[in-house]
Amino acid sequence: MPREPKSFEEAITATDFSSEDYCGTSYAAKLLGLSVATVQSLVEKGEIDAWKTLGGHRRIALQSINAYLAKNNPQVAKVVDTDPKHRLRVLLVEDDEATRELYQLQFEDWDLPVDCTWMPSALEALMDIASMRPDLLITDLSMPGVDGIEMLKALKRNQQLADMQIIVISGLPPEAIEERGGLPPDAHRLQKPVNFDWLHGYVTALVTANRKWHH
């Protein structure tokens, strides 16, 4: 009898938290080069294997994504599998759409070798972060549902993400953050509004370091 999957909400608080074999709809859409609506349609048709958490979030099997690519678009499958090492992988978590758009404009202006994924909630980020393995996480703290502080606590337990750089950008005063358990010791904290000159310098330095590590 197949084991009933526990809810994702339970999974992220488990000590062995990892979602290596599964990803959420947003990341699946990025890998497949399709819209989120098209990915949902493929799931409904049974062309991609997925299941729903108790909270209603779809979890999609990465193996199933690779199988779909190999069958329908082998050229893209090769690109996805090789995962270009010279590009910096950035995950940005921000629930405010206007702020996300501001970040996007800045990143496009910088014209750096960066693959940036934008997510509107900490829960979505937690669903995908282990399969994405970003080099840099940029996150807000005050978000509805699972907030940034809870997300960072869950990530601390995942050894595979130990090398990930973290930048926290928040309007919360330091005392309020400390009261809730504080941030990981190596996280950089920036006060809102964002100092994009500092962020540009930091990301540029990471890109340079990234090239050295992978040569």
Side-chain angles (χ1 to χ4, degrees):
M1 187 175 168
R3 186 171 59 86
E4 186 64 29
K6 58 187 170 183
S7 76
F8 191 73
E9 288 75 0
E10 288 169 330
I12 63 168
T13 54
T15 49
D16 61 348
F17 167 71
S18 172
S19 55
E20 286 266 299
D21 301 327
Y22 296 92
C23 69
T25 316
S26 305
Y27 190 56
K30 189 179 172 77
L31 286 179
L32 291 163
L34 301 170
S35 70
V36 170
T38 305
V39 171
Q40 287 170 340
S41 167
L42 290 171
V43 168
E44 300 296 345
K45 289 178 194 163
E47 291 187 41
I48 292 176
D49 298 331
W51 50 273
K52 272 188 181 177
T53 67
L54 295 181
H57 293 273
R58 279 187 177 86
R59 305 296 293 123
I60 296 170
L62 288 172
Q63 197 176 351
S64 177
I65 290 173
N66 280 331
Y68 179 87
L69 280 171
K71 180 180 160 193
N72 294 283
N73 199 338
Q75 296 311 110
V76 175
K78 284 175 191 160
V79 173
V80 169
D81 287 343
T82 52
D83 187 17
K85 292 279 188 284
H86 64 284
R87 296 181 71 80
L88 191 77
R89 294 187 302 276
V90 178
L91 173 59
L92 188 131
V93 187
E94 168 61 67
D95 63 312
D96 181 68
E97 192 176 349
T99 307
R100 278 202 310 277
E101 286 176 7
L102 184 60
Y103 277 113
Q104 278 178 285
L105 289 171
Q106 291 287 334
F107 270 81
E108 284 164 16
D109 276 354
W110 297 343
D111 197 24
L112 290 167
V114 169
D115 284 329
C116 200
T117 302
W118 318 88
M119 294 208 173
S121 75
L123 184 59
E124 264 191 83
L126 277 169
M127 287 167 73
D128 286 336
I129 200 160
S131 44
M132 284 179 66
R133 301 276 189 94
D135 302 300
L136 171 64
L137 168 67
I138 302 173
T139 184
D140 191 8
L141 289 183
S142 303
M143 290 181 277
V146 177
D147 73 3
I149 290 177
E150 290 172 293
M151 174 178 72
L152 291 172
K153 281 178 186 167
L155 295 181
K156 271 186 198 174
R157 291 192 290 271
N158 191 331
Q159 288 307 305
Q160 294 158 330
L161 299 170
D163 293 334
M164 179 178 70
Q165 304 295 307
I166 299 169
I167 296 177
V168 170
I169 298 174
S170 176
L172 287 175
E175 308 78 56
I177 296 171
E178 286 306 317
E179 275 170 24
R180 300 209 36 218
L183 302 176
D186 49 355
H188 295 276
R189 189 179 68 81
L190 295 186
Q191 201 68 19
K192 285 187 173 179
V194 185
N195 179 340
F196 282 110
D197 287 340
W198 184 91
L199 192 59
H200 181 215
Y202 185 86
V203 172
T204 304
L206 273 191
V207 165
T208 307
N210 196 47
R211 282 191 182 131
K212 285 177 187 165
W213 294 333
H214 293 120
H215 275 298

